[in-house]
Amino acid sequence: MIRHILTVFCLILSGELPALAQENIEGTAREPVTILISIDGFRPDYLDRGITPNLNALAKAGIEGPMRPSFPTKTFPNHYTLVTGKTPDGHGVVGNRMEDKARPGERFTMASKDPFWWDQAEPIWITAEKQGVRSATMFWPGSEISFGGVRPSDWWPFSEALSNDRRIRAVVDWMRRPAESRPKLVTLYFDTVDTAGHFYGPAPSDKLHDVIQAMDTGIGFLRSELDALGQPVNLVIVSDHGMAEVGPERVIRLDEIYARDQYRLVESGNYAGIEPLGDDTSAIEAAFLKPHHNMQCWRRENIPARFAYGTNPRVPTIFCLPETGWLVYQDVPEWLTRTGGGHGYDNFAPDMTALFIASGPGISAGGSVDIFDNVDIYALVAHLSGVRPGPSDGSVEHFLPKFTQ
Ligand SMILES: [Zn+2]
C-alpha cells in the first residue's frame, strides 16, 4: 500500500496522471454523494431571465420541471415536506408559527428547537443515519433537532450571517474527507434569493437579479470544486415555494371583520390563523365565515380537500386565505409602503410554483418533467442516496423513466 502511494506521489511529482491521482491514492473510485439544495423562494421563471447559466446547464444535463409546493406555501412547512415526504398535515409543521393544545400558552416559531414540534415525522437524514448512511446538513429547517439522540453526523446551528460561499466551502470540505467519514447525503440551504424576492418583489429588477446571479455563480463554484475532487454528485435543486407581488394597495384589515380582543391571531400576512376566545364562539365564527372581498375563511375541518390541510389539530380553528397577492393584517407593518414579494398562498397558484432540477450520474438527460407535488422529493432523494424510505405521501413513480439504474 505504501509503495502504491509512493508510486502515485512520484507520478504526481513527475507531472503524470494528475486527473486520476485522487482515485488511485484511495484505491477505489468515489461513490456518488447526493446533495439536496434548497434555494428558498426561487421562482422557476427566474431560470428564463438569462442570468443563471450554471443552473440552466444543470437542467440541460438532467431533468427540470415545475413543482407544486404543499399548502400553506410557507418556508418551514415546505422544507419539512421535502425531507419527510409528508404534507404539513402529516408531518405537523403546519405553519411558520403555530400552537398546539397539548402545550397551552406556547407558540412554535422558526427558532423552536423542542423535538415536540418536529417529531410527528422523521426527516431523511435521521432515517439515513439509522441505516448506516452518513448524512450531513448544511442548514435545513429541523436539522438541529435530536430524534431520540440521533442527529446528522455533521450539522451546524443555523446562522443567516454565514455567507453562501462559506456554506458551499463547508460542504466541499466534508467531501475532502476520507471515504469512511465522507457523507453520502447532504442538505444545503440558501436564503438570499427569498430575502431579495420579499424586498424587491419577483418582477425583473437589477437588484433582484444581482442576488439570483450570485446564487447561480455559487452553484457553479460548488460543481467545479466537486469536479476537481473527482467527486460524482447527484444534485437535487429545489425551492420551497415561489413569490407573488404584494403591495400596500392590496390589504385586508381584520379589525373590519371582528374585534381583535375576541380571538388570538396565530399568523397573519399572506393568510390569517385565528383562535376564537371564550365559550360561545358562534358570533365570531359567523363574522369570519361569511363571504369577504378578496378573501375566504373556513373552519379547519372545512378547508377544501385540494389543500390537504386541516386534519392536523395544529391547524388554526379558523383559517382565512386571501387571493394571491393580497395581505391580511390587524396592524399593517411599517415596511409595507411599496411593492415587494410574499408567499403562503394557494399552492395551485402559478406564482407559488417551486423550482426543481435534478442532475447527476443517477439521472438521465431527460429534459423536462410535468408538474408534480413536492412530497415526491423525499422518495427521489432516498432513491439516489440509497436510503430505504419510510411511509410517505409521495413516490418516485414520476421520475422512474429518468433514472439511469
Ligand atoms: Zn421560503
Side-chain angles (χ1 to χ4, degrees), residues 40-41 73-76 79 96 189 194 198 240-242 343:
D40 197 317
T73 51
K74 284 286 185 184
T75 297
F76 270 45
H79 275 89
N96 283 348
Y189 169 77
D194 180 71
H198 281 293
D240 49 348
H241 51 69
H343 54 87

Side-chain angles (χ1 to χ4, degrees), residues 168-209:
I168 292 166
R169 286 176 192 276
V171 169
V172 172
D173 282 345
W174 287 337
M175 303 319 297
R176 288 187 209 282
R177 292 175 178 170
E180 60 273 15
S181 55
R182 201 187 295 149
K184 294 279 190 320
L185 168 63
V186 173
T187 70
L188 177 54
Y189 169 77
F190 300 110
D191 46 281
T192 49
V193 171
D194 180 71
T195 304
H198 281 293
F199 202 77
Y200 303 117
S205 70
D206 288 346
K207 285 178 172 162
L208 173 67
H209 286 190

Side-chain angles (χ1 to χ4, degrees), residues 79 100 181 186 200 205 253 257 292 294 310 349 360 376 382:
H79 275 89
D100 191 306
S181 55
V186 173
Y200 303 117
S205 70
R253 286 175 172 75
I257 298 175
H292 306 282
N294 314 112
D376 290 342

Side-chain angles (χ1 to χ4, degrees), residues 50 77 105 139 155 190 192 200 205 224 230 289 314:
F139 301 160
W155 61 279
F190 300 110
T192 49
Y200 303 117
S205 70
S224 65
L289 298 176
R314 290 177 178 173

